[in-house]
Amino acid sequence: SIPAKIHLLNECAFKQRSDNPALALSLARQAQQLVTHASDYPTRYALSRQIEGFCLWRLRDVNAAREIIHSTLPVFEQHNELHNYCFSLFLMGTISLHLDIPDEALGYYFQSAEVAEKTGDEHRQASAYAQIGRIYWRSCDYQLALDYLHRSLALYEKLGATPYMADTLNNTGLVYMSLKEHKQALQYYRQALTIYSDIEDLQGQANALGNIGTAFEQLGRTKKALRYCHQALAMRRRLKDREGEANSLNSIGRIHLDFGDYLRALRYFIRSLRIYEENDNKHGQSPALNNIGSIYWNLGDSHRALAYFRKSLCIQEDIEDRHGQALSLLNIGNVYLKWQEYDRALEYLLRC
């Protein structure tokens, strides 16, 4: 029968959606072709659409994925398919976050968490709380971030879902770093690293190693910081993770800058900047440019320093990075102070 065929195709597509999204996409679309009118088998059709949207998301066709998954929401809600409704809400949150629409993402994650609580799906609830915590961290609302991240950890622990705790532990460490509680952050990073190692998640290990290095740097333990950052760099190169490689190079450069080894730091910052530019990562470019400017400032080349500070400021204004803008404005103001151009210095310093 047609319903049985649709069910079988959806089931096969569902199983393949993470490991082989291209195949799963084909299967989901075959399921849809069996339906003459969407109203004939609404929930089965919506499920194949959800799988299609998920696969398109994995294949980086984000806008198409967003449109398709959004279309499944009223169908699942109307037919009380709460498990699938919850997952579509979660996917919408993830896509909105990727598109840098955090308020929209937050709304979807809260709805997903609410539906998950109603249905007793504590795993999905924990995942939604973890994402909510991450968004609050990004918006600098650190106490709310910790509240939701700890809720997520408590649910994962209750479920015995240790592998899923690693990312949340790592993100909790990031919040404590933002609060300047570096020792607390280190504890969470180390717990995350243990889990990543146990489940052989190399990307997770590299991220945790890099974060541990940054924590040791902030604690003034520069030798340990360098060791962990170099471990992260080696792992990221092995994984061909160019973005991660740039982050590690930037971290190592920053440690050498703290040492006062300006020329070595400069080499690392320039290498990281090249990768950020290759990937058109403006969030990475702006601090790298500022770091290079700081080195030239320390080397007494204030004209070259100013050029890099200005480049950094342009990018920060483009991406609306207010914290970064304040730092660049301060740096530019200090250059003009050094040159005794007090009116221009005041112009920039008042904008900090």
Side-chain angles (χ1 to χ4, degrees):
S1 67
I2 289 176
K5 286 179 182 177
I6 296 170
H7 175 75
L8 181 60
L9 285 165
N10 279 343
E11 194 173 277
C12 292
F14 184 85
K15 287 176 180 175
Q16 294 290 333
R17 62 182 187 162
S18 293
D19 295 333
N20 193 341
L23 173 60
L25 180 63
S26 173
L27 293 168
R29 285 174 171 169
Q30 287 177 54
Q32 291 171 47
Q33 287 169 7
L34 291 173
V35 182
T36 308
H37 302 288
S39 57
D40 292 345
Y41 311 105
T43 57
R44 285 187 172 91
Y45 184 78
L47 179 57
S48 67
R49 293 277 285 170
Q50 184 195 74
I51 296 167
E52 179 185 15
F54 180 88
C55 294
L56 288 169
W57 157 247
R58 290 295 305 274
L59 295 167
R60 302 192 178 187
D61 191 346
V62 181
N63 290 319
R66 186 179 190 221
E67 183 181 340
I68 288 168
I69 292 166
H70 189 268
S71 73
T72 68
L73 291 172
V75 180
F76 289 138
E77 186 177 23
Q78 183 183 344
H79 291 84
N80 209 34
E81 286 273 347
L82 294 183
H83 178 75
N84 287 319
Y85 180 53
C86 179
F87 187 52
S88 283
L89 287 167
F90 187 87
L91 289 175
M92 286 299 297
T94 302
I95 291 170
S96 299
L97 192 57
H98 176 82
L99 293 170
D100 202 20
I101 317 173
D103 290 342
E104 183 176 282
L106 202 58
Y108 282 119
Y109 284 133
F110 269 121
Q111 288 180 73
S112 181
E114 185 181 344
V115 176
E117 188 173 14
K118 280 181 187 174
T119 60
D121 186 350
E122 291 181 319
H123 197 286
R124 179 64 57 206
Q125 190 181 354
S127 299
Y129 284 159
Q131 294 299 93
I132 290 167
R134 186 175 162 216
I135 293 170
Y136 279 131
W137 169 63
R138 285 176 59 176
S139 61
C140 301
D141 199 335
Y142 300 131
Q143 292 307 322
L144 270 176
L146 285 176
D147 179 24
Y148 280 96
L149 289 167
H150 283 304
R151 288 193 205 186
S152 174
L153 288 171
L155 283 170
Y156 281 139
E157 197 165 358
K158 177 185 172 185
L159 294 167
T162 307
Y164 294 93
M165 293 173 66
D167 286 345
T168 307
L169 287 164
N170 198 52
N171 288 336
T172 306
L174 292 172
V175 179
Y176 280 115
M177 284 294 287
S178 298
L179 290 167
K180 312 295 183 189
E181 296 182 33
H182 304 124
K183 288 183 179 178
Q184 190 83 335
L186 197 54
Q187 289 179 20
Y188 282 94
Y189 290 150
R190 281 176 158 161
Q191 289 180 65
L193 179 60
T194 299
I195 296 172
Y196 285 134
S197 300
D198 287 344
I199 62 176
E200 298 181 352
D201 180 344
L202 297 181
Q203 187 67 64
Q205 286 178 57
N207 292 339
L209 286 165
N211 288 337
I212 289 170
T214 302
F216 275 125
E217 179 199 353
Q218 293 300 316
L219 289 166
R221 299 172 69 178
T222 48
K223 287 184 180 178
K224 271 201 164 185
L226 268 180
R227 189 168 78 241
Y228 278 99
C229 286
H230 274 292
Q231 285 181 52
L233 177 61
M235 193 167 283
R236 283 164 167 165
R237 281 176 170 163
R238 196 159 71 243
L239 291 166
K240 294 182 170 48
D241 173 12
R242 294 286 282 165
E243 198 75 20
E245 181 182 348
N247 293 338
S248 290
L249 289 166
N250 201 53
S251 296
I252 293 167
R254 200 172 56 240
I255 296 167
H256 285 298
L257 179 59
D258 293 341
F259 272 141
D261 190 348
Y262 300 131
L263 294 178
R264 184 170 292 183
L266 185 61
R267 287 199 294 272
Y268 280 101
F269 287 142
I270 288 172
R271 283 155 67 190
S272 74
L273 178 60
R274 283 175 185 156
I275 296 172
Y276 288 135
E277 287 174 341
E278 281 173 20
N279 294 343
D280 196 28
N281 180 349
K282 292 183 178 180
H283 289 274
Q285 289 174 46
S286 65
L289 287 163
N290 238 327
N291 288 334
I292 293 169
S294 296
I295 288 177
Y296 284 120
W297 171 262
N298 283 299
L299 290 170
D301 189 343
S302 54
H303 287 89
R304 193 171 285 185
L306 180 61
Y308 279 97
F309 292 148
R310 284 188 180 283
K311 285 180 186 177
S312 182
L313 180 61
C314 285
I315 291 173
Q316 287 152 354
E317 287 173 341
D318 186 40
I319 61 176
E320 299 182 357
D321 175 6
R322 297 187 188 282
H323 177 75
Q325 285 177 54
L327 178 60
S328 292
L329 289 164
L330 177 64
N331 288 334
I332 293 169
N334 284 333
V335 173
Y336 284 117
L337 275 178
K338 183 179 180 180
W339 293 348
Q340 298 183 356
E341 295 185 27
Y342 300 118
D343 288 343
R344 296 202 73 179
L346 194 60
E347 176 192 337
Y348 283 97
L349 294 173
L350 287 174
R351 288 170 57 195
C352 291

